[in-house]
Amino acid sequence: MQIKDLFVRDLFRPINGVVKADQHDEAIVWQELDEYVVTRELDKHFRQFFDAYLAAMDNPKDPVVTSRMGVWVSGFFGSGKSHFIKILSYLLKNHEAHDPATAESKNAVHFFDKKIEDAMLLSDIKRTVSGNTDVVLFNIDSKADNKDGKDAILSVFLRVFNEMQGFSGDAPHIANLERALLKDDLLETFHKSFQEAAGKEWMKNRDAFGLYRDEVIQALCKTKGMSKESATKWFDEAEEKHKMNIEGFAKLVKEYLDSKGPSQRIVFLADEVGQFIGQDTHLMLNLQTITEDLGRICGGRAWVIVTSQEDIDAVVGEVRGTKANDF
């Protein structure tokens, strides 16, 4: 007998050495869920998280509970923090995984029937996933624009929020247009009008909207009944006039949640935030305010979960020195 024969799994199969937030291949997702091992330490972290998450679900009008919607997951490189939040994202969404090798399908929570021995914890997880939750998992550095400066974190959150809904991520003012058209049940009509004018699909060409000025104006006139002058003025001024602050973003998220019903929730999971913030005071304040405003305005229905190679005390200490208590 050889050592490899002692293992149930094939030791020579392709194994993803580093879990990445933006990898969603079916085979990788299945392997991550199927082979995830819940150790005693992880069991404690799952218990801590789901206790807090369910407390917010059960006490939506308690300002003390709903103001605590931020989770900081720290650990050195390779410790499994990215894997942990990715597994959380699968559970919160109750993602349906597919094994391309066998064509088997299974919801995320069912992978844990034999992984978690604590019946109460497993019951809490199943109660959590029975709700409606939108999950936005992303690597913050890959989504950031270096031109955003001190508002970089807000810009990333707005971008991924727009993309989650199917709106433009690159152009917030275009996303606002799409949001308004969808609210008026005119988005599909606009898509058809643009294709008639440009001979191309809106979804594939909207990020190059500057090249289709006449076609967008024509589609707006036909869809919204706007005059050519009004549509032209909107196109020429919308990008420059677009402004978004943190409170406005939180209100936008609340409007989305309200449109989906009182039980709808959203969870933002941002990987490697600690490295992204570095020693930038403005970015740390940006993250703190986003978390606070989402908790306050959305009434505990919006969560922010981030990872960092350093614990929050270390990051804050580097950022503010003697003023670390400000955070």
Side-chain angles (χ1 to χ4, degrees), residues 295-327:
R296 174 176 59 86
I297 292 173
C298 298
R301 293 187 291 156
W303 283 74
V304 177
I305 303 174
V306 305
T307 71
S308 171
Q309 289 191 27
E310 294 181 299
D311 63 39
I312 195 166
D313 291 333
V315 173
V316 168
E318 289 183 8
V319 169
R320 297 291 287 186
T322 58
K323 295 184 179 180
N325 288 334
D326 289 353
F327 297 100

PDB file of all heavy atoms in Angstrom, residues 295-327:
ATOM      1  N   GLY A 295     -26.180  50.300   8.453  1.00  0.00           N
ATOM      2  CA  GLY A 295     -26.873  49.720   9.602  1.00  0.00           C
ATOM      3  C   GLY A 295     -28.009  50.597  10.077  1.00  0.00           C
ATOM      4  O   GLY A 295     -29.115  50.123  10.342  1.00  0.00           O
ATOM      5  N   ARG A 296     -27.751  51.902  10.164  1.00  0.00           N
ATOM      6  CA  ARG A 296     -28.753  52.847  10.684  1.00  0.00           C
ATOM      7  C   ARG A 296     -29.914  53.034   9.712  1.00  0.00           C
ATOM      8  O   ARG A 296     -31.082  52.941  10.101  1.00  0.00           O
ATOM      9  CB  ARG A 296     -28.076  54.193  10.954  1.00  0.00           C
ATOM     10  CG  ARG A 296     -29.013  55.319  11.358  1.00  0.00           C
ATOM     11  CD  ARG A 296     -28.229  56.579  11.696  1.00  0.00           C
ATOM     12  NE  ARG A 296     -27.418  57.027  10.581  1.00  0.00           N
ATOM     13  CZ  ARG A 296     -27.869  57.831   9.604  1.00  0.00           C
ATOM     14  NH1 ARG A 296     -29.139  58.234   9.604  1.00  0.00           N
ATOM     15  NH2 ARG A 296     -27.060  58.232   8.629  1.00  0.00           N
ATOM     16  N   ILE A 297     -29.624  53.273   8.457  1.00  0.00           N
ATOM     17  CA  ILE A 297     -30.664  53.609   7.478  1.00  0.00           C
ATOM     18  C   ILE A 297     -31.428  52.365   7.015  1.00  0.00           C
ATOM     19  O   ILE A 297     -32.638  52.424   6.793  1.00  0.00           O
ATOM     20  CB  ILE A 297     -30.039  54.359   6.290  1.00  0.00           C
ATOM     21  CG1 ILE A 297     -29.554  55.740   6.757  1.00  0.00           C
ATOM     22  CG2 ILE A 297     -31.029  54.509   5.141  1.00  0.00           C
ATOM     23  CD1 ILE A 297     -28.763  56.517   5.718  1.00  0.00           C
ATOM     24  N   CYS A 298     -30.724  51.250   6.886  1.00  0.00           N
ATOM     25  CA  CYS A 298     -31.371  50.029   6.381  1.00  0.00           C
ATOM     26  C   CYS A 298     -31.958  49.169   7.499  1.00  0.00           C
ATOM     27  O   CYS A 298     -32.506  48.097   7.236  1.00  0.00           O
ATOM     28  CB  CYS A 298     -30.386  49.201   5.555  1.00  0.00           C
ATOM     29  SG  CYS A 298     -29.785  50.053   4.084  1.00  0.00           S
ATOM     30  N   GLY A 299     -31.847  49.611   8.738  1.00  0.00           N
ATOM     31  CA  GLY A 299     -32.467  48.902   9.838  1.00  0.00           C
ATOM     32  C   GLY A 299     -31.974  47.486  10.039  1.00  0.00           C
ATOM     33  O   GLY A 299     -32.757  46.569  10.308  1.00  0.00           O
ATOM     34  N   GLY A 300     -30.665  47.273   9.907  1.00  0.00           N
ATOM     35  CA  GLY A 300     -30.108  45.947  10.161  1.00  0.00           C
ATOM     36  C   GLY A 300     -30.238  44.979   9.012  1.00  0.00           C
ATOM     37  O   GLY A 300     -29.965  43.790   9.177  1.00  0.00           O
ATOM     38  N   ARG A 301     -30.640  45.449   7.851  1.00  0.00           N
ATOM     39  CA  ARG A 301     -30.816  44.541   6.705  1.00  0.00           C
ATOM     40  C   ARG A 301     -29.637  44.566   5.734  1.00  0.00           C
ATOM     41  O   ARG A 301     -29.646  43.848   4.736  1.00  0.00           O
ATOM     42  CB  ARG A 301     -32.101  44.887   5.948  1.00  0.00           C
ATOM     43  CG  ARG A 301     -33.364  44.611   6.763  1.00  0.00           C
ATOM     44  CD  ARG A 301     -34.611  44.794   5.927  1.00  0.00           C
ATOM     45  NE  ARG A 301     -34.833  46.201   5.591  1.00  0.00           N
ATOM     46  CZ  ARG A 301     -35.542  46.623   4.546  1.00  0.00           C
ATOM     47  NH1 ARG A 301     -36.075  45.761   3.722  1.00  0.00           N
ATOM     48  NH2 ARG A 301     -35.714  47.910   4.336  1.00  0.00           N
ATOM     49  N   ALA A 302     -28.628  45.402   6.024  1.00  0.00           N
ATOM     50  CA  ALA A 302     -27.439  45.467   5.168  1.00  0.00           C
ATOM     51  C   ALA A 302     -26.192  45.247   6.008  1.00  0.00           C
ATOM     52  O   ALA A 302     -25.983  45.935   7.007  1.00  0.00           O
ATOM     53  CB  ALA A 302     -27.379  46.823   4.464  1.00  0.00           C
ATOM     54  N   TRP A 303     -25.383  44.283   5.611  1.00  0.00           N
ATOM     55  CA  TRP A 303     -24.174  43.922   6.364  1.00  0.00           C
ATOM     56  C   TRP A 303     -22.923  44.218   5.541  1.00  0.00           C
ATOM     57  O   TRP A 303     -22.956  44.162   4.304  1.00  0.00           O
ATOM     58  CB  TRP A 303     -24.186  42.431   6.707  1.00  0.00           C
ATOM     59  CG  TRP A 303     -25.095  42.083   7.838  1.00  0.00           C
ATOM     60  CD1 TRP A 303     -26.464  42.032   7.820  1.00  0.00           C
ATOM     61  CD2 TRP A 303     -24.710  41.730   9.170  1.00  0.00           C
ATOM     62  NE1 TRP A 303     -26.942  41.667   9.054  1.00  0.00           N
ATOM     63  CE2 TRP A 303     -25.894  41.480   9.897  1.00  0.00           C
ATOM     64  CE3 TRP A 303     -23.481  41.594   9.812  1.00  0.00           C
ATOM     65  CZ2 TRP A 303     -25.876  41.102  11.244  1.00  0.00           C
ATOM     66  CZ3 TRP A 303     -23.463  41.217  11.147  1.00  0.00           C
ATOM     67  CH2 TRP A 303     -24.651  40.975  11.847  1.00  0.00           C
ATOM     68  N   VAL A 304     -21.831  44.493   6.249  1.00  0.00           N
ATOM     69  CA  VAL A 304     -20.522  44.674   5.612  1.00  0.00           C
ATOM     70  C   VAL A 304     -19.539  43.725   6.294  1.00  0.00           C
ATOM     71  O   VAL A 304     -19.327  43.804   7.504  1.00  0.00           O
ATOM     72  CB  VAL A 304     -20.016  46.127   5.743  1.00  0.00           C
ATOM     73  CG1 VAL A 304     -18.617  46.249   5.143  1.00  0.00           C
ATOM     74  CG2 VAL A 304     -20.977  47.094   5.056  1.00  0.00           C
ATOM     75  N   ILE A 305     -18.961  42.815   5.514  1.00  0.00           N
ATOM     76  CA  ILE A 305     -17.988  41.851   6.026  1.00  0.00           C
ATOM     77  C   ILE A 305     -16.699  42.041   5.240  1.00  0.00           C
ATOM     78  O   ILE A 305     -16.712  42.023   4.005  1.00  0.00           O
ATOM     79  CB  ILE A 305     -18.499  40.404   5.871  1.00  0.00           C
ATOM     80  CG1 ILE A 305     -19.843  40.230   6.593  1.00  0.00           C
ATOM     81  CG2 ILE A 305     -17.474  39.409   6.399  1.00  0.00           C
ATOM     82  CD1 ILE A 305     -20.488  38.875   6.365  1.00  0.00           C
ATOM     83  N   VAL A 306     -15.577  42.248   5.940  1.00  0.00           N
ATOM     84  CA  VAL A 306     -14.315  42.485   5.248  1.00  0.00           C
ATOM     85  C   VAL A 306     -13.230  41.585   5.820  1.00  0.00           C
ATOM     86  O   VAL A 306     -13.350  41.059   6.926  1.00  0.00           O
ATOM     87  CB  VAL A 306     -13.874  43.965   5.391  1.00  0.00           C
ATOM     88  CG1 VAL A 306     -14.969  44.902   4.907  1.00  0.00           C
ATOM     89  CG2 VAL A 306     -13.492  44.308   6.836  1.00  0.00           C
ATOM     90  N   THR A 307     -12.166  41.412   5.048  1.00  0.00           N
ATOM     91  CA  THR A 307     -11.019  40.641   5.527  1.00  0.00           C
ATOM     92  C   THR A 307      -9.777  41.522   5.550  1.00  0.00           C
ATOM     93  O   THR A 307      -9.666  42.510   4.831  1.00  0.00           O
ATOM     94  CB  THR A 307     -10.725  39.413   4.645  1.00  0.00           C
ATOM     95  OG1 THR A 307     -10.191  39.855   3.376  1.00  0.00           O
ATOM     96  CG2 THR A 307     -11.962  38.581   4.427  1.00  0.00           C
ATOM     97  N   SER A 308      -8.842  41.132   6.418  1.00  0.00           N
ATOM     98  CA  SER A 308      -7.581  41.857   6.539  1.00  0.00           C
ATOM     99  C   SER A 308      -6.523  40.924   7.095  1.00  0.00           C
ATOM    100  O   SER A 308      -6.840  40.017   7.874  1.00  0.00           O
ATOM    101  CB  SER A 308      -7.741  43.059   7.479  1.00  0.00           C
ATOM    102  OG  SER A 308      -6.486  43.658   7.768  1.00  0.00           O
ATOM    103  N   GLN A 309      -5.274  41.127   6.694  1.00  0.00           N
ATOM    104  CA  GLN A 309      -4.198  40.312   7.244  1.00  0.00           C
ATOM    105  C   GLN A 309      -3.843  40.733   8.668  1.00  0.00           C
ATOM    106  O   GLN A 309      -3.152  40.007   9.377  1.00  0.00           O
ATOM    107  CB  GLN A 309      -2.969  40.383   6.333  1.00  0.00           C
ATOM    108  CG  GLN A 309      -3.170  39.647   5.025  1.00  0.00           C
ATOM    109  CD  GLN A 309      -1.894  39.484   4.232  1.00  0.00           C
ATOM    110  OE1 GLN A 309      -0.815  39.446   4.799  1.00  0.00           O
ATOM    111  NE2 GLN A 309      -2.023  39.381   2.919  1.00  0.00           N
ATOM    112  N   GLU A 310      -4.299  41.911   9.082  1.00  0.00           N
ATOM    113  CA  GLU A 310      -4.069  42.375  10.445  1.00  0.00           C
ATOM    114  C   GLU A 310      -5.397  42.562  11.146  1.00  0.00           C
ATOM    115  O   GLU A 310      -6.407  42.870  10.504  1.00  0.00           O
ATOM    116  CB  GLU A 310      -3.297  43.698  10.442  1.00  0.00           C
ATOM    117  CG  GLU A 310      -1.886  43.590   9.899  1.00  0.00           C
ATOM    118  CD  GLU A 310      -1.181  44.931   9.942  1.00  0.00           C
ATOM    119  OE1 GLU A 310      -1.663  45.873   9.281  1.00  0.00           O
ATOM    120  OE2 GLU A 310      -0.172  45.041  10.642  1.00  0.00           O
ATOM    121  N   ASP A 311      -5.416  42.386  12.466  1.00  0.00           N
ATOM    122  CA  ASP A 311      -6.657  42.615  13.182  1.00  0.00           C
ATOM    123  C   ASP A 311      -6.962  44.113  13.184  1.00  0.00           C
ATOM    124  O   ASP A 311      -6.106  44.947  12.898  1.00  0.00           O
ATOM    125  CB  ASP A 311      -6.613  42.032  14.595  1.00  0.00           C
ATOM    126  CG  ASP A 311      -5.559  42.669  15.477  1.00  0.00           C
ATOM    127  OD1 ASP A 311      -5.360  43.899  15.395  1.00  0.00           O
ATOM    128  OD2 ASP A 311      -4.933  41.941  16.264  1.00  0.00           O
ATOM    129  N   ILE A 312      -8.174  44.443  13.503  1.00  0.00           N
ATOM    130  CA  ILE A 312      -8.622  45.821  13.357  1.00  0.00           C
ATOM    131  C   ILE A 312      -7.867  46.776  14.272  1.00  0.00           C
ATOM    132  O   ILE A 312      -7.593  47.930  13.908  1.00  0.00           O
ATOM    133  CB  ILE A 312     -10.147  45.922  13.584  1.00  0.00           C
ATOM    134  CG1 ILE A 312     -10.662  47.270  13.085  1.00  0.00           C
ATOM    135  CG2 ILE A 312     -10.509  45.678  15.033  1.00  0.00           C
ATOM    136  CD1 ILE A 312     -12.177  47.329  12.953  1.00  0.00           C
ATOM    137  N   ASP A 313      -7.479  46.317  15.444  1.00  0.00           N
ATOM    138  CA  ASP A 313      -6.721  47.178  16.359  1.00  0.00           C
ATOM    139  C   ASP A 313      -5.375  47.575  15.757  1.00  0.00           C
ATOM    140  O   ASP A 313      -4.931  48.719  15.892  1.00  0.00           O
ATOM    141  CB  ASP A 313      -6.504  46.474  17.698  1.00  0.00           C
ATOM    142  CG  ASP A 313      -7.806  46.309  18.473  1.00  0.00           C
ATOM    143  OD1 ASP A 313      -8.703  47.138  18.254  1.00  0.00           O
ATOM    144  OD2 ASP A 313      -7.908  45.379  19.282  1.00  0.00           O
ATOM    145  N   ALA A 314      -4.728  46.618  15.075  1.00  0.00           N
ATOM    146  CA  ALA A 314      -3.430  46.909  14.466  1.00  0.00           C
ATOM    147  C   ALA A 314      -3.574  47.900  13.319  1.00  0.00           C
ATOM    148  O   ALA A 314      -2.784  48.831  13.180  1.00  0.00           O
ATOM    149  CB  ALA A 314      -2.790  45.617  13.969  1.00  0.00           C
ATOM    150  N   VAL A 315      -4.607  47.702  12.494  1.00  0.00           N
ATOM    151  CA  VAL A 315      -4.825  48.600  11.358  1.00  0.00           C
ATOM    152  C   VAL A 315      -5.151  50.005  11.839  1.00  0.00           C
ATOM    153  O   VAL A 315      -4.599  50.996  11.369  1.00  0.00           O
ATOM    154  CB  VAL A 315      -5.958  48.073  10.441  1.00  0.00           C
ATOM    155  CG1 VAL A 315      -6.300  49.102   9.371  1.00  0.00           C
ATOM    156  CG2 VAL A 315      -5.529  46.771   9.793  1.00  0.00           C
ATOM    157  N   VAL A 316      -6.044  50.080  12.810  1.00  0.00           N
ATOM    158  CA  VAL A 316      -6.430  51.382  13.352  1.00  0.00           C
ATOM    159  C   VAL A 316      -5.237  52.062  14.015  1.00  0.00           C
ATOM    160  O   VAL A 316      -5.030  53.273  13.875  1.00  0.00           O
ATOM    161  CB  VAL A 316      -7.595  51.221  14.360  1.00  0.00           C
ATOM    162  CG1 VAL A 316      -7.813  52.504  15.150  1.00  0.00           C
ATOM    163  CG2 VAL A 316      -8.869  50.866  13.613  1.00  0.00           C
ATOM    164  N   GLY A 317      -4.422  51.286  14.708  1.00  0.00           N
ATOM    165  CA  GLY A 317      -3.244  51.851  15.351  1.00  0.00           C
ATOM    166  C   GLY A 317      -2.293  52.462  14.349  1.00  0.00           C
ATOM    167  O   GLY A 317      -1.756  53.554  14.557  1.00  0.00           O
ATOM    168  N   GLU A 318      -2.107  51.793  13.220  1.00  0.00           N
ATOM    169  CA  GLU A 318      -1.238  52.316  12.178  1.00  0.00           C
ATOM    170  C   GLU A 318      -1.842  53.549  11.520  1.00  0.00           C
ATOM    171  O   GLU A 318      -1.150  54.488  11.159  1.00  0.00           O
ATOM    172  CB  GLU A 318      -0.976  51.242  11.123  1.00  0.00           C
ATOM    173  CG  GLU A 318      -0.072  50.115  11.594  1.00  0.00           C
ATOM    174  CD  GLU A 318       0.205  49.120  10.490  1.00  0.00           C
ATOM    175  OE1 GLU A 318      -0.183  49.407   9.344  1.00  0.00           O
ATOM    176  OE2 GLU A 318       0.798  48.073  10.775  1.00  0.00           O
ATOM    177  N   VAL A 319      -3.151  53.530  11.384  1.00  0.00           N
ATOM    178  CA  VAL A 319      -3.817  54.631  10.697  1.00  0.00           C
ATOM    179  C   VAL A 319      -3.805  55.904  11.519  1.00  0.00           C
ATOM    180  O   VAL A 319      -3.508  56.990  11.047  1.00  0.00           O
ATOM    181  CB  VAL A 319      -5.272  54.242  10.344  1.00  0.00           C
ATOM    182  CG1 VAL A 319      -6.049  55.460   9.867  1.00  0.00           C
ATOM    183  CG2 VAL A 319      -5.293  53.166   9.272  1.00  0.00           C
ATOM    184  N   ARG A 320      -4.126  55.778  12.800  1.00  0.00           N
ATOM    185  CA  ARG A 320      -4.349  56.983  13.589  1.00  0.00           C
ATOM    186  C   ARG A 320      -3.396  57.194  14.764  1.00  0.00           C
ATOM    187  O   ARG A 320      -3.440  58.232  15.418  1.00  0.00           O
ATOM    188  CB  ARG A 320      -5.785  56.961  14.146  1.00  0.00           C
ATOM    189  CG  ARG A 320      -6.862  56.986  13.074  1.00  0.00           C
ATOM    190  CD  ARG A 320      -6.926  58.292  12.352  1.00  0.00           C
ATOM    191  NE  ARG A 320      -7.505  59.334  13.183  1.00  0.00           N
ATOM    192  CZ  ARG A 320      -7.780  60.554  12.760  1.00  0.00           C
ATOM    193  NH1 ARG A 320      -7.503  60.894  11.528  1.00  0.00           N
ATOM    194  NH2 ARG A 320      -8.311  61.441  13.568  1.00  0.00           N
ATOM    195  N   GLY A 321      -2.571  56.194  15.041  1.00  0.00           N
ATOM    196  CA  GLY A 321      -1.653  56.373  16.158  1.00  0.00           C
ATOM    197  C   GLY A 321      -2.372  56.649  17.456  1.00  0.00           C
ATOM    198  O   GLY A 321      -3.187  55.844  17.915  1.00  0.00           O
ATOM    199  N   THR A 322      -2.131  57.780  18.064  1.00  0.00           N
ATOM    200  CA  THR A 322      -2.716  58.106  19.351  1.00  0.00           C
ATOM    201  C   THR A 322      -4.207  58.367  19.262  1.00  0.00           C
ATOM    202  O   THR A 322      -4.900  58.432  20.271  1.00  0.00           O
ATOM    203  CB  THR A 322      -2.045  59.353  19.947  1.00  0.00           C
ATOM    204  OG1 THR A 322      -2.173  60.454  19.034  1.00  0.00           O
ATOM    205  CG2 THR A 322      -0.572  59.088  20.208  1.00  0.00           C
ATOM    206  N   LYS A 323      -4.732  58.531  18.028  1.00  0.00           N
ATOM    207  CA  LYS A 323      -6.154  58.799  17.862  1.00  0.00           C
ATOM    208  C   LYS A 323      -6.917  57.560  17.421  1.00  0.00           C
ATOM    209  O   LYS A 323      -7.984  57.644  16.843  1.00  0.00           O
ATOM    210  CB  LYS A 323      -6.375  59.926  16.831  1.00  0.00           C
ATOM    211  CG  LYS A 323      -5.804  61.265  17.298  1.00  0.00           C
ATOM    212  CD  LYS A 323      -6.140  62.353  16.289  1.00  0.00           C
ATOM    213  CE  LYS A 323      -5.604  63.711  16.752  1.00  0.00           C
ATOM    214  NZ  LYS A 323      -5.917  64.780  15.773  1.00  0.00           N
ATOM    215  N   ALA A 324      -6.369  56.398  17.695  1.00  0.00           N
ATOM    216  CA  ALA A 324      -7.002  55.145  17.274  1.00  0.00           C
ATOM    217  C   ALA A 324      -8.405  54.979  17.817  1.00  0.00           C
ATOM    218  O   ALA A 324      -9.247  54.342  17.204  1.00  0.00           O
ATOM    219  CB  ALA A 324      -6.128  53.949  17.713  1.00  0.00           C
ATOM    220  N   ASN A 325      -8.669  55.558  18.979  1.00  0.00           N
ATOM    221  CA  ASN A 325      -9.991  55.416  19.584  1.00  0.00           C
ATOM    222  C   ASN A 325     -11.088  56.103  18.774  1.00  0.00           C
ATOM    223  O   ASN A 325     -12.264  55.878  18.998  1.00  0.00           O
ATOM    224  CB  ASN A 325      -9.992  55.985  21.014  1.00  0.00           C
ATOM    225  CG  ASN A 325      -9.230  55.103  21.980  1.00  0.00           C
ATOM    226  OD1 ASN A 325      -9.121  53.907  21.750  1.00  0.00           O
ATOM    227  ND2 ASN A 325      -8.670  55.697  23.012  1.00  0.00           N
ATOM    228  N   ASP A 326     -10.688  56.954  17.815  1.00  0.00           N
ATOM    229  CA  ASP A 326     -11.682  57.596  16.948  1.00  0.00           C
ATOM    230  C   ASP A 326     -12.451  56.538  16.150  1.00  0.00           C
ATOM    231  O   ASP A 326     -13.562  56.787  15.693  1.00  0.00           O
ATOM    232  CB  ASP A 326     -11.011  58.559  15.952  1.00  0.00           C
ATOM    233  CG  ASP A 326     -10.485  59.797  16.646  1.00  0.00           C
ATOM    234  OD1 ASP A 326     -10.759  59.959  17.843  1.00  0.00           O
ATOM    235  OD2 ASP A 326      -9.827  60.616  15.982  1.00  0.00           O
ATOM    236  N   PHE A 327     -11.858  55.363  15.972  1.00  0.00           N
ATOM    237  CA  PHE A 327     -12.513  54.317  15.201  1.00  0.00           C
ATOM    238  C   PHE A 327     -13.006  53.214  16.126  1.00  0.00           C
ATOM    239  O   PHE A 327     -12.965  52.087  15.783  1.00  0.00           O
ATOM    240  CB  PHE A 327     -11.533  53.748  14.164  1.00  0.00           C
ATOM    241  CG  PHE A 327     -11.100  54.753  13.150  1.00  0.00           C
ATOM    242  CD1 PHE A 327      -9.884  55.391  13.252  1.00  0.00           C
ATOM    243  CD2 PHE A 327     -11.939  55.097  12.101  1.00  0.00           C
ATOM    244  CE1 PHE A 327      -9.499  56.344  12.331  1.00  0.00           C
ATOM    245  CE2 PHE A 327     -11.564  56.047  11.163  1.00  0.00           C
ATOM    246  CZ  PHE A 327     -10.332  56.670  11.279  1.00  0.00           C
TER     247      PHE A 327
END
